[in-house]
């Protein structure tokens, strides 16, 4: 945006410089042409007046000295022709033939003058145009044209003056452009400083919301009043959003925590009733109540884990992934043996370290191994692998269960979502949502795919610490 604004400012300055500079340069050239034309026209008219008597008396010697002296002083060639267009007198004396009276630039004005018409201004004096200025004035006597006077003037000095004026004008345009650039850069930075602050604050707000921290205010960072007001409005909005999310998380955590004690007491009471209910329908209802209480207990545990995962975004601890995997697999091996499921571990063995929230690795592995053991049939295996990928490390948990349909892989991360084919398997539907939250806090990526041979593979890619 800074480049675009500076481009707009500089474009406007360039248009202004060219819009004023080009007409001014043309006006300078036209003025020089006009001054030269009027000066030479006056001299040509004077020589036309002096040539009347010599032409009538056919005595060129009467005017030759004046023409020669004029040429010596001003370097302007002067030729007097009779009414037939033949040379009569010249500033070059006998060398009058050096002036080609048949040339277009000379013959045209000469015939106009012999027809009784005076020369008119033509064109603009350009520095690169070395064409001499040719003027012709009719010599009149008693209203009749008896000849014409032609002046051929070089324009070198005038063109040099025009060139110097143009160079001065170009230097002024460059100076104006430089000053505009020097002023535009700090002004654009001043305008955009609040915008950059808002952009940084937006990213910080997202990180704060994810990490459960309070958003850093934009504050007064200079800039136009409208953008400062926008910054203040953003601070109020960020404070409201952070407060609402903090209250929501606190409510989920508090509600989950406070409900666990009454629910535990309810499970104990339901357990105490076992063996004291003789009626068969009532015993069935009691068993259903116990199952529902257990499911509700799992949901509350999941909500509490989710609240903890969401609140741990700002704290990342180094974790040696090989050691964490070996520890958790060793604990879950007992459960696997009870279900006739073998847990296999494949690690790089080079102490790969990643950064995760506190107890993040344990929470991830517990959730994934618990899910894998729920769906893996007896006599199969669950494979946990840790591999190095350049500057990243991949942690994968692959089971041999029924897996998911391809269109269900994206939805598997949603909270409380469960595949319709697995509704009879105990669970709250929060396991992968918790894993996804912790992986996001760890700057990692979560991937789900269906490997060959069936089952589901859940992979997490973390940057190596």
């Amino acid at each position: 945006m800074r480049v675009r604004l500076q481009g707009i400012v500089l474009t406007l300055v360039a248009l202004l410089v060219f819009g004023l500079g080009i007409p001014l340069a043309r006006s300078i050239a036209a003025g020089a042409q006009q001054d030269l034309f009027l000066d030479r026209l006056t001299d040509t008219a004077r020589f036309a007046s002096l040539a009347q008597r010599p032409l009538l008396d056919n005595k060129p010697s009467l005017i030759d000295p004046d023409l020669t002296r004029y040429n010596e002083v001003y370097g302007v060639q002067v030729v007097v022709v009779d009414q037939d267009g033949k040379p009569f007198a010249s500033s070059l004396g006998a060398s009058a033939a050096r002036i080609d009276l048949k040339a277009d630039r000379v013959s045209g004005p000469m015939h106009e003058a012999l027809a009784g018409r005076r020369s008119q201004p033509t064109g603009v004096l350009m520095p690169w145009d070395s064409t001499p200025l040719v003027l012709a004035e009719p010599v009149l006597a008693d209203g009749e044209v008896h000849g014409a006077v032609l002046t051929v003037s070089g324009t070198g000095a005038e063109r040099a003056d025009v060139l110097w004026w143009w160079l001065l004008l170009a230097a002024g345009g460059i100076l104006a452009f430089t000053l505009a650039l020097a002023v535009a850069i700090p002004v654009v930075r001043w305008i955009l400083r609040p915008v950059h602050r808002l952009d940084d604050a937006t990213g910080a707000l997202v990180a704060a919301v994810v990490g459960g921290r309070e958003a850093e205010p934009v504050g007064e960072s200079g800039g136009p009043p409208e953008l400062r007001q926008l910054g203040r409005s953003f601070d109020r909005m960020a404070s409201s959003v952070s407060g609402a999310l903090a209250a929501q998380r606190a409510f989920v955590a508090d509600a989950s925590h406070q409900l666990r004690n009454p629910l535990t007491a309810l499970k104990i009471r339901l357990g105490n009733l076992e063996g004291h209910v003789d009626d068969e329908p009532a015993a069935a209802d009691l068993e259903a109540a116990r199952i529902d209480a257990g499911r509700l207990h799992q949901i509350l545990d999941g909500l509490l884990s989710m609240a903890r995962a969401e609140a741990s975004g700002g704290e990342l601890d180094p974790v040696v992934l090989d050691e964490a995997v070996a520890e958790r697999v060793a604990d879950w091996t007992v459960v696997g043996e009870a279900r006739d499921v073998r847990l296999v571990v494949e690690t790089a063995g080079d102490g790969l370290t990643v950064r995760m929230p506190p107890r993040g690795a344990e929470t991830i592995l517990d959730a994934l191994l618990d899910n894998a053991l729920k769906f893996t049939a007896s006599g199969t295996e669950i494979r946990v692998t840790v591999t190095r990928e350049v500057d990243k490390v991949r942690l994968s948990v692959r089971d041999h269960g029924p897996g998911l349909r391809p269109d269900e892989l994206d939805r598997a991360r949603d909270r409380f979502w469960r595949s319709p084919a697995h509704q009879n398997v105990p669970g709250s539907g929060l396991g992968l949502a918790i894993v996804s939250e912790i992986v996001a806090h760890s700057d990692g990526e979560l991937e789900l795919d269906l490997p060959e041979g069936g089952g589901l593979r859940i992979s997490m890619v973390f940057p190596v610490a």
Side-chain angles (χ1 to χ4, degrees), residues 53-64:
R53 180 54 52 189
L55 278 172
L56 292 175
D57 296 342
N58 194 21
K59 295 180 178 180
S61 59
L62 296 177
I63 196 173
D64 278 342

Side-chain angles (χ1 to χ4, degrees), residues 75-414:
V76 178
Q77 301 179 40
V78 185
V79 178
V80 180
V81 297
D82 58 18
Q83 59 185 359
D84 296 326
K86 297 179 179 180
F88 175 75
S90 171
S91 60
L92 300 177
S95 61
R98 293 181 181 177
I99 301 177
D100 188 3
L101 298 179
K102 296 181 179 180
D104 292 338
R105 60 184 177 86
V106 177
S107 62
M110 183 183 68
H111 288 98
E112 291 285 329
L114 293 176
R117 293 187 291 269
R118 306 180 66 181
S119 297
Q120 300 296 325
T122 57
V124 177
L125 186 62
M126 295 299 179
W128 55 84
D129 187 2
S130 59
T131 303
L133 176 65
V134 179
L135 297 182
E137 186 76 12
V139 178
L140 301 174
D142 298 330
E144 295 183 4
V145 178
H146 292 271
V149 176
L150 283 82
T151 57
V152 181
S153 308
T155 57
E158 289 75 11
R159 288 187 291 111
D161 290 341
V162 171
L163 180 60
W164 278 111
W165 276 108
W166 282 16
L167 291 176
L168 182 62
L169 188 62
I174 294 174
L175 179 61
F177 205 78
T178 305
L179 291 176
L181 181 62
V183 173
I185 291 177
V187 169
V188 169
R189 288 178 178 173
W190 175 73
I191 293 174
L192 294 182
R193 187 178 296 114
V195 178
H196 292 317
R197 286 281 297 162
L198 283 173
D199 182 57
D200 295 339
T202 302
L205 175 62
V206 174
V209 168
V210 173
R213 304 186 305 274
E214 184 177 354
E216 181 181 355
V218 175
E220 294 288 342
S221 57
E226 295 81 2
L227 292 180
R228 293 201 300 269
Q229 177 61 35
L230 179 61
R232 291 190 290 268
S233 300
F234 179 86
D235 286 341
R236 291 193 295 270
M237 181 272 294
S239 178
S240 300
V241 170
S242 299
L245 289 174
Q248 177 186 353
R249 287 170 176 165
F251 170 77
V252 172
D254 293 343
S256 302
H257 187 272
Q258 295 299 323
L259 288 175
R260 292 183 69 184
N261 292 334
L263 184 58
T264 302
L266 177 61
K267 291 180 66 178
I268 294 174
R269 290 178 182 274
L270 292 175
N272 291 335
L273 288 176
E274 187 176 359
H276 297 283
V277 178
D278 299 331
D279 184 63
E280 187 174 342
D285 291 339
L286 176 61
E287 182 62 23
R290 291 182 59 188
I291 294 174
D292 289 341
R295 184 179 296 112
L296 183 59
H297 196 278
Q298 288 182 344
I299 292 175
L300 289 178
D301 285 342
L303 287 174
L304 187 58
S305 299
M306 177 65 72
R308 289 172 179 169
E310 290 178 341
S312 63
E315 305 173 3
L316 297 178
D317 297 333
V319 177
V320 180
L321 205 52
D322 294 345
E323 297 177 0
V325 168
E327 178 183 347
R328 298 316 302 154
V329 170
D331 292 342
W332 282 93
T333 298
V334 179
V335 181
E337 291 176 351
R339 301 182 183 182
D340 192 20
V341 176
R342 189 163 57 99
L343 273 66
V344 179
V345 178
E346 295 179 359
T347 63
D350 52 358
L352 295 173
T353 303
V354 298
R355 299 187 66 86
M356 291 187 183
R359 299 190 60 81
E362 290 84 350
T363 303
I364 288 175
L365 290 168
D366 287 344
L368 295 182
L369 291 174
D370 181 47
N371 276 345
L373 287 169
K374 287 178 184 177
F375 296 105
T376 298
S378 300
T380 58
E381 67 177 18
I382 297 174
R383 188 171 295 271
V384 182
T385 59
V386 179
T387 56
R388 178 75 176 261
E389 297 180 355
V390 191
D391 58 345
K392 295 185 178 181
V393 57
R394 177 181 294 269
L395 170 62
S396 300
V397 177
R398 186 261 171 93
D399 61 47
H400 288 79
L404 298 172
R405 297 197 308 268
D407 59 325
E408 294 178 337
L409 293 178
D410 290 335
R411 295 205 57 196
R413 310 176 195 187
D414 296 343

Side-chain angles (χ1 to χ4, degrees), residues 414-456:
D414 296 343
R415 300 181 184 184
F416 300 107
W417 181 88
R418 303 188 68 195
S419 173
H422 305 153
Q423 295 297 324
N424 59 335
V425 179
S428 61
L430 286 172
L432 273 182
I434 295 172
V435 172
S436 178
E437 196 74 28
I438 296 175
V439 171
H441 288 330
S442 306
D443 296 327
E445 299 177 3
L446 179 64
E447 302 173 359
L448 281 74
D449 67 300
L450 303 175
E452 295 182 4
L456 177 67

